[in-house]
Amino acid sequence: THTHKHSLSLSLFPSLSLSLFSSMFFTLLLLLRWAVAQHCTADVCNSTMAEAKKAKTDSVLLSSGHNMPLLGLGTWKSKPGEVEKAVLAALDAGYRHIDCAAVYGNEKEVGAALQQAFANGLKREEVFITSKLWNTKHAKADVLPALEQTLKDLQLDYLDLYLIHWPHGFKAGPDNFPRDESGNLIYADTPYLETWQAMEEAVQAGKIKSIGLSNFNSKQVEDVCNHAKVQPSVNQVECHPYLVQNELIAFCKAKNVVITAYSPLGSPDRPWAKPGEPSLLEDPKLLEIAKKYNKSPAQICIRFQIERGVVVIPKSVTPSRIVENGDVFDFSLTADDMKVVESFNKPWRACVPKIVVLFPICANMLAPTLNTLMHTHT
């Protein structure tokens, strides 16, 4: 009996060892599969993030032969102390296009942000920088000094795009909005074609890669195109679902001029807004479309422009909104929904002439062209 028990116990050990080995092997296999899954998930996540950042550099080819990213960060109305952080947040989120202007008064902060980004490894040629010539600098002799000041403030050697901010010039001098004793804006009689010649010379000097226009109507665009040695690449205008600008877009496209949409969200933060004025981002029809795509109303407005091949420069100084505004390359609007958004057209302008509440002189500035704006593609 003793011998039988001993032999029985010996016969059990191999079974127990095999069972333990099998259990350990199975556990190890599960751990290995989990590790592989985690690695693959990380790769997919990193790949997705890389693709998302790459998408923000989707571009349109300009007549100058250079590519311009369809998405950019607008800096108009960005307060001192805010714009530097906004630019850094945008670049970190994958934006590769920053829209500036001398009259915004914040190009030094933009330049500081750019230098910080360059110091961290971003290459100058990877970022598309736009600026604009202000109205007091339309005289041919004033264009290059104005450009040099912008380059100094931005700490750059060249601009990717330089625009004539408005078609009508003001009296030259240190005041951006010169007025007479009666408070009327003082205009300059410099024709924009003369200003354009100086812009062309800056291109030849290697200071600018592309030149363009801003707030020009179709007649003015055609005038420049007919006389230019270097054709305008861009016309930047207010454009959003309440002001779709279909006629102007079609006209400029025929001239190989790309449209950039400023105030693409209807400028909800405009200081001159009055009670009862349209609020694009609160439009029930827009909210319905946004819900359908599980996107924000702002994202629908931005995607609407990208679908049309229009460059779009939403402004924000809030990092989370900057990221959200850039998250528009993972969906497309259907043709029917594009038509629905187009049907919002009123047309209604957020910035002209409502801007007279903030800058009363703008009413005088617009007076010479108001009749033209009402009777031509704008």
Side-chain angles (χ1 to χ4, degrees):
T1 305
H2 178 74
T3 304
H4 174 71
K5 288 182 178 179
H6 180 71
S7 63
L8 181 62
S9 63
L10 286 174
S11 67
L12 285 174
F13 282 113
S15 298
L16 288 171
S17 298
L18 180 61
S19 176
L20 181 62
F21 176 77
S22 297
S23 177
M24 291 177 63
F25 178 77
F26 183 69
T27 302
L28 183 61
L29 182 62
L30 287 177
L31 287 171
L32 181 62
R33 289 180 64 181
W34 177 84
V36 170
Q38 289 297 107
H39 178 73
C40 291
T41 301
D43 282 348
V44 169
C45 182
N46 291 335
S47 176
T48 301
M49 292 177 65
E51 287 299 315
K53 286 195 173 185
K54 182 180 178 182
K56 293 182 182 66
T57 62
D58 284 0
S59 61
V60 59
L61 182 63
L62 302 179
S63 62
S64 61
H66 300 287
N67 288 304
M68 181 178 187
L70 282 165
L71 175 68
L73 176 73
T75 59
W76 178 42
K77 302 191 302 292
S78 294
K79 298 176 183 178
E82 295 180 338
V83 70
E84 182 175 349
K85 293 179 181 178
V87 170
L88 288 171
L91 294 173
D92 185 60
Y95 287 63
R96 291 298 180 264
H97 173 192
I98 308 297
D99 182 84
C100 316
V103 77
Y104 298 166
N106 55 18
E107 288 193 324
K108 287 185 178 180
E109 284 194 42
V110 174
L114 291 174
Q115 291 307 308
Q116 185 173 332
F118 296 154
N120 290 333
L122 184 67
K123 296 179 180 178
R124 168 65 184 94
E125 58 269 22
E126 294 176 336
V127 189
F128 191 100
I129 307 296
T130 300
S131 189
K132 308 174 192 75
L133 177 76
W134 185 236
N135 305 356
T136 54
K137 308 298 182 181
H138 276 208
K140 194 172 182 179
D142 292 335
V143 174
L144 186 57
L147 171 60
E148 294 285 5
Q149 184 61 54
T150 279
L151 290 173
K152 180 181 178 181
D153 290 343
L154 292 173
Q155 302 183 56
L156 300 175
D157 295 325
Y158 68 91
L159 290 177
D160 295 279
L161 178 64
Y162 200 39
L163 309 176
I164 299 179
H165 208 148
W166 288 88
H168 292 279
F170 298 162
K171 178 184 176 182
D175 189 353
N176 286 332
F177 298 94
R179 287 184 280 183
D180 60 23
E181 294 178 356
S182 301
N184 298 313
L185 184 68
I186 304 174
Y187 291 95
D189 56 4
T190 306
Y192 52 72
L193 291 179
E194 180 180 320
T195 308
W196 189 256
Q197 291 175 359
M199 300 276 282
E200 291 175 325
E201 291 175 5
V203 174
Q204 299 300 323
K207 303 285 186 180
I208 317 168
K209 289 190 173 183
S210 304
I211 49 178
L213 313 166
S214 181
N215 298 300
F216 277 56
N217 63 38
S218 58
K219 287 187 176 180
Q220 293 161 339
V221 171
E222 184 171 35
D223 194 22
V224 174
C225 288
N226 288 343
H227 294 86
K229 294 178 181 178
V230 178
Q231 290 294 307
S233 295
V234 170
N235 186 22
Q236 185 178 130
V237 297
E238 180 183 347
C239 187
H240 45 74
Y242 281 173
L243 185 67
V244 295
Q245 299 276 28
N246 280 346
E247 290 182 329
L248 182 60
I249 290 172
F251 178 87
C252 287
K253 185 177 181 180
K255 297 289 185 182
N256 204 15
V257 175
V258 170
I259 290 289
T260 295
Y262 72 73
S263 297
L265 310 181
S267 195
D269 61 344
R270 62 192 187 281
W272 55 89
K274 295 180 180 179
E277 286 186 334
S279 178
L280 173 61
L281 297 183
E282 297 176 359
D283 190 300
K285 293 179 292 184
L286 182 62
L287 291 171
E288 185 177 343
I289 293 177
K291 184 177 180 181
K292 173 181 176 181
Y293 289 90
N294 194 28
K295 292 290 183 178
S296 70
Q299 289 172 316
I300 298 299
C301 291
I302 295 166
R303 184 67 204 183
F304 169 69
Q305 302 293 1
I306 291 173
E307 296 270 351
R308 303 199 294 168
V310 171
V311 176
V312 57
I313 49 171
K315 170 261 174 184
S316 180
V317 294
T318 306
S320 60
R321 288 182 183 173
I322 290 171
V323 172
E324 179 184 279
N325 289 344
D327 187 20
V328 292
F329 293 93
D330 59 348
F331 76 106
S332 295
L333 297 172
T334 66
D336 287 342
D337 285 336
M338 286 291 292
K339 290 179 181 178
V340 172
V341 176
E342 282 189 1
S343 73
F344 297 172
N345 190 49
K346 293 187 179 294
W348 174 82
R349 294 177 182 273
C351 302
V352 181
K354 272 68 178 181
I355 199 169
V356 298
V357 175
L358 183 62
F359 299 122
I361 49 81
C362 286
N364 297 323
M365 177 181 72
L366 294 170
T369 58
L370 191 56
N371 185 62
T372 305
L373 286 169
M374 295 298 137
H375 294 90
T376 65
H377 309 320
T378 58

